[in-house]
Amino acid sequence: MTSEITLFVNPTAGRGRGAHAAQPAASALRDAGFSVRTVLGEDAADALRRAREAVAAGTGALIAVGGDGLMSLALQAVAGTATPLGVVAVGTGNDFARVLGLPIRDPAAAGRLAARAVKDGGHREIDLGRVGDRWFGTVLASGFDSRVNDRGNRMRFVGGRFTYDLAILAELAAFKPIPYRIRLDGDEAREIEATLIAVGNGTTYGGGMRICADAEMDDGLFDVTVVGECTRTELLKVFPKVYKGTHLDHPAVTVHRVSSIELVAAGVTAYADGEPMGALPLTATCVPGAVRVLTGP
């Protein structure tokens, strides 16, 4: 394996933590004897192009320094290749790192872990979700949660967690159950009314909300959490339970374990790894062992 490692950096992640985190991560890699090349990019498309060029050139690993948005971009570069992905999680949510038990907001520790893993071959092959030519690592959200994302993205006058909380309150005021048509593993399509449908390769989204609490990232299957028709009052009772995963016991919640799902609903945008995936309809497929993540022994 080449001794050159590529740092894939989002300088704006976590309100500027991405740029600051690159230095201790790079130092840890250099101290381990690796040559480090940094990829920034002028925008997301340019950054992805540069990351793919590094992978094609045979870099020893692509180390993503940022939040879940950058992890999502990095997955587009390494999925389906032999190049391992390292994670230096310094964003706001950091769900990809959290699910894998990797260091969060500790770039030096994350850099040391990645260096050891490259040297010792310490990696874990995990599944990824795929929609068309787009990959995702954690959860694809649709319904109430994705509409909260939509609204939060339009709220420029506040920031951080407060934005998300305000967006939840605003969406609750306008909330109505959504008519879906779903097809699981190619079976006959079903018409349902639901509050939200979350397709989990990993367990969490939104910075630790355990929406798909029992999902495994290496079983070749999604955990699909369907929150059925709820009143606003009932939704307010159920929603806080998501942080511990105890919402799965609620009678309005069902879980399906499938390798593919087709989702159809009007006026709903899907988000995956916190990034817009596009308007429904869409079909998501679980691809076993699609990426190698540096995790240590």
Side-chain angles (χ1 to χ4, degrees), residues 180-198:
Y180 280 91
R181 185 170 76 250
I182 67 171
R183 190 188 305 271
L184 305 175
D185 281 340
D187 288 345
E188 185 175 348
R190 288 184 284 169
E191 308 280 344
I192 63 171
E193 297 269 327
T195 300
L196 65 87
I197 298 178

Side-chain angles (χ1 to χ4, degrees), residues 5-294:
I5 300 296
T6 301
L7 276 188
F8 187 38
V9 181
N10 180 356
T12 63
R15 300 181 184 178
R17 281 194 295 265
H20 294 296
Q23 185 174 349
S27 295
L29 290 161
R30 291 191 180 105
D31 289 346
F34 292 102
S35 170
V36 178
R37 176 188 173 215
T38 301
V39 167
L40 287 168
E42 297 177 2
D43 52 30
D46 182 54
L48 178 55
R49 178 184 63 79
R50 292 169 185 259
R52 283 174 167 160
E53 287 175 353
V55 169
T59 187
L62 187 71
I63 312 292
V65 185
D68 285 326
L70 190 76
M71 301 306 153
S72 176
L73 204 59
L75 289 176
Q76 313 312 309
V78 298
T81 76
T83 302
L85 173 67
V87 179
V88 179
V90 292
T92 303
N94 302 310
D95 287 292
F96 189 73
R98 180 177 287 104
V99 172
L100 291 168
L102 298 173
I104 293 175
R105 301 196 185 106
D106 190 344
R112 290 192 297 269
L113 183 150
R116 287 196 304 270
V118 174
K119 283 190 169 183
D120 301 339
H123 66 267
R124 178 181 173 189
E125 291 190 358
I126 66 167
D127 311 332
L128 293 178
R130 189 165 191 175
V131 177
D133 60 357
R134 294 270 304 278
W135 301 89
F136 67 92
T138 54
V139 176
L140 183 147
S142 74
F144 175 76
D145 44 7
S146 65
R147 286 179 172 172
V148 168
N149 253 325
D150 282 339
R151 187 177 289 270
N153 289 339
R154 296 193 300 269
M155 296 168 70
R156 303 297 183 186
F157 55 91
V158 290
R161 182 76 205 180
F162 190 52
T163 301
Y164 193 77
D165 292 340
L166 284 177
I168 288 174
L169 291 174
E171 280 303 315
L172 275 171
F175 173 73
K176 292 181 180 178
I178 299 167
Y180 280 91
R181 185 170 76 250
I182 67 171
R183 190 188 305 271
L184 305 175
D185 281 340
D187 288 345
E188 185 175 348
R190 288 184 284 169
E191 308 280 344
I192 63 171
E193 297 269 327
T195 300
L196 65 87
I197 298 178
V199 182
N201 183 55
T203 56
T204 72
Y205 64 5
M209 300 168 69
R210 296 176 57 80
I211 187 68
C212 299
D214 296 329
E216 298 285 347
M217 297 186 86
D218 55 5
D219 63 354
L221 298 170
F222 293 132
D223 273 30
V224 177
T225 300
V226 179
V227 179
E229 189 172 356
C230 290
T231 64
R232 291 186 186 91
T233 301
E234 195 64 23
L235 187 55
L236 280 169
K237 290 179 182 178
V238 174
F239 202 77
K241 296 181 178 182
V242 174
Y243 288 94
K244 293 185 178 180
T246 54
H247 64 291
L248 298 183
D249 296 329
H250 192 278
V253 177
T254 56
V255 177
H256 307 274
R257 196 157 279 138
V258 299
S259 60
S260 69
I261 179 170
E262 179 185 337
L263 292 170
V264 180
V268 176
T269 300
Y271 284 75
D273 295 337
E275 298 296 304
M277 183 64 75
L280 302 188
L282 61 76
T283 298
T285 303
C286 185
V287 181
V291 68
R292 302 164 67 193
V293 180
L294 298 173

